[in-house]
Amino acid sequence: MSAETNDVETEARAADSGANASAQFRSRMAAQSAGRVIDTERIGRVAGRAIAALNDIVLEEKVSYEEYNALKAWLIRVGEDGEWPLFLDVWLEHSVEEVANEHREGSKGSIEGPYYIPDAPELPWNGTIPMRDDEPGTPLVFAGQVRAVDGTPLPGAHLELWHADDLGFYSQFAPGLPEWNLRGTWIAGDDGRFEIHTLRPAPYQIPTDGACGQLIAAAGWHAWRPAHLHLKVSAAGHELITTQLYFPGDPHNADDIASAVKPELMLDPRPNPDAEGEIVDYDFVLDPEA
Ligand code: DHB
Ligand code: FE
């Protein structure tokens, strides 16, 4: 990697990735929310419980005015830094994901996080992910099959993959990266098989210079997520699954800040006998559409 690329990329700031994540979320929400019906009873109950839970904490912990004002200032800053998507995806999305996917018999899901972009370039079943000529990292071949819960292969299934680069940055959210760097959509072959050629991602630290980083430092926590691959796997007539896959031995598998690791999502890579780098097998099983 050239020093120049490195410099530009490491100038990434929380407020920039936060602003990009907020803008991305807003445009996807706008498309989804047309025609939505407001259920007053439901909103009153859930919002009422959230407010009651916060009041209980204030009373039990005897929260002072100084602490209350620090909270107000911090919440204002989360908005200014555009970090609401980051905050919610790190500390709340895992529970929403648990509720959303508890009915599934097929593959386990995990959180989407703030850095998904739809419509990444389409690649054949065995294509190579878009990357820079000098992209640093260990080559990784990720092979498997997409099937239905009854074992039927799902030809033409789509596998969307996105992941961080060797410095922990995502394209379109950090400066200096090509638009679709380390993002692609593979179309599975006739037998539902795929062979994804990519690189092993690095562990990822959520931005430390914004409001979320300020909370993490003040609370004495760490900001790390273990190295992970993000995937969305889908096929006609089946429920799309959003998930993540992890690598054994990562020190943060056991204390992911986003609480998004599950034992079923652990890969088992081995040295690739035919090429430099590693190879790993992982199959996906999709539930039928309800
Ligand atoms: C965040 C970033 C991720 O890459 C991820 O997978 C989950 C959450 C975040 O910064 O909020
Ligand atoms: Fe991520």
Side-chain angles (χ1 to χ4, degrees), residues 147-253:
R147 293 187 299 271
V149 283
D150 67 2
T152 316
L154 294 172
H158 281 47
L159 298 108
E160 296 175 80
L161 170 69
W162 71 105
H163 64 80
D165 69 9
D166 207 47
L167 294 172
F169 292 115
Y170 286 85
S171 59
Q172 301 190 40
F173 295 91
L177 291 168
E179 187 176 18
W180 295 105
N181 210 52
L182 304 178
R183 296 177 184 273
T185 305
W186 283 257
I187 316 291
D190 291 343
D191 46 6
R193 295 215 159 264
F194 61 87
E195 189 183 283
I196 291 170
H197 293 255
T198 188
L199 300 170
R200 190 170 168 151
Y204 166 84
Q205 197 174 17
I206 78 158
T208 52
D209 62 323
C212 291
Q214 190 186 22
L215 170 63
I216 288 163
W221 302 334
H222 73 76
W224 291 96
R225 298 217 58 221
H228 56 280
L229 301 172
H230 288 273
L231 285 126
K232 283 183 185 280
V233 184
S234 59
H238 293 78
E239 264 192 272
L240 177 151
I241 185 89
T242 300
T243 193
Q244 299 190 23
L245 296 170
Y246 302 92
F247 297 86
D250 190 300
H252 295 294
N253 282 334

